[in-house]
Amino acid sequence: MKLGIHFMNFTHPEGGQALRKAVGDTAVAADEAGINLFTAMDHWFQMEHFATARDAMLEGYSVLNFVAAKTERVRLSLLVTGVTYRHPGLLAKTVTTLDVLSGGRAMLGIGAAWYEREHLALGVPYPPVAERFERLEETIQICEQMWSDNDGPYEGKYYQLAETICVPPPLQSPRPPILIGGGGEKKTLRLVAKYADACNLFGSSVDEVAHKLDVLRAHCDTEGRDYDTIEKTILGRVDPSGDVSGFLAQMQQYAAIGIDLVEVAPAMPDPAGFVTQLGEKVVGPLAEIG
């Protein structure tokens, strides 16, 4: 099983001036520790069920580009891009730029968006959920077209592009991987089966995740998709200074149902030290699972 780092806490006791070092040192520690994936959130306000909307938050793709300059190996993604926040053509160029400048390490993590308060606060349109999912599918189609040899028009219900030119193209072939976040059984997991190279589920319990994977497998059968070609990831929780053996035992259960990668969030005020401990205590034993 592989390990990822989800950098989601930007509230440092020394304030914003400390974040350059905190994020940079954490990225370097992750690269040196053999961490497989580094992700940040795509939010403009901090999530209210984690802290408050007035707590610190940095723009996600800026974070990833900064991390790309500090690292050489770790994959880079948002977990996940809200489909409402960026026009699809510009999103494709943004991820392409990350892929080119990182040496081919970008992933498009994307979802239907959900945080209504930041939309309303910043004047971003927040369509009904059914429309957001329709826009999500069109956005994925546009990104796929921009990352192909077809640079012609795209005509959708919500988006119309006269040209889909993307030069230079991404370094990864045939394109950067696409991860769709969320566990909605009727829409999200159907889109995973149809388009995605990876999914991300909340690791709430082994039984619940197993159920979601069964639903995904059924969608794959309907779409004629090889279920085993999809990377299955979850968000988990571990304190590397605490019960590492308990975490590894839990991950054995997740690996047994098909989970390939678990992401954990480093703690402030020393996220780099947290990640260094993961490298010393977790990465190796985790890799032996599965």
Side-chain angles (χ1 to χ4, degrees), residues 2 36-40 61 64 74-81 91 94-96 98-100 102 104-110 147 170 172 175-181 196-200 231-233 261 263:
K2 295 172 287 188
N36 182 266
L37 178 65
F38 187 106
T39 63
Y61 281 109
L64 293 183
V74 66
R75 293 187 295 162
L76 305 167
S77 180
L78 293 189
L79 197 65
V80 288
T81 293
L91 174 62
T94 298
V95 177
T96 299
L98 177 62
D99 197 61
V100 170
S102 69
R105 293 184 282 136
M107 174 183 285
L108 170 60
I110 193 163
W147 293 334
Q172 295 183 80
R175 55 163 174 72
I178 296 171
L179 177 150
I180 297 176
D197 303 286
C199 65
N200 183 261
E231 183 181 26
K232 293 87 174 174
T233 77
L261 179 147
E263 285 214 78

Side-chain angles (χ1 to χ4, degrees), residues 25 42 60-61 133-134 158 212 244 255 261:
D25 289 354
D42 194 23
Y61 281 109
F133 274 99
E134 290 175 347
Y158 299 102
K212 299 293 185 182
V244 171
L261 179 147

Side-chain angles (χ1 to χ4, degrees), residues 4-80:
I5 292 300
H6 184 46
F7 203 107
M8 60 180 290
N9 186 354
F10 293 94
T11 301
H12 195 283
E14 296 177 17
Q17 67 271 15
L19 288 177
R20 180 174 183 269
K21 178 174 174 56
V23 175
D25 289 354
T26 303
V28 171
D31 220 35
E32 294 177 348
I35 302 295
N36 182 266
L37 178 65
F38 187 106
T39 63
M41 292 195 294
D42 194 23
H43 285 299
W44 311 88
F45 293 175
Q46 179 58 267
M47 300 183 300
E48 292 171 294
H49 62 263
F50 176 71
T52 77
R54 294 185 180 277
D55 283 295
M57 177 55 58
L58 296 181
E59 193 279 320
Y61 281 109
S62 300
V63 171
L64 293 183
N65 283 307
F66 177 71
V67 169
K70 296 281 187 178
T71 57
E72 295 292 335
R73 294 176 293 276
V74 66
R75 293 187 295 162
L76 305 167
S77 180
L78 293 189
L79 197 65
V80 288

Side-chain angles (χ1 to χ4, degrees), residues 143-152 164-166 169-170 173-174:
C143 288
E144 286 190 327
Q145 182 168 323
M146 290 190 66
W147 293 334
S148 74
D149 294 331
N150 179 3
D151 60 4
T164 50
I165 296 170
C166 188
S173 180

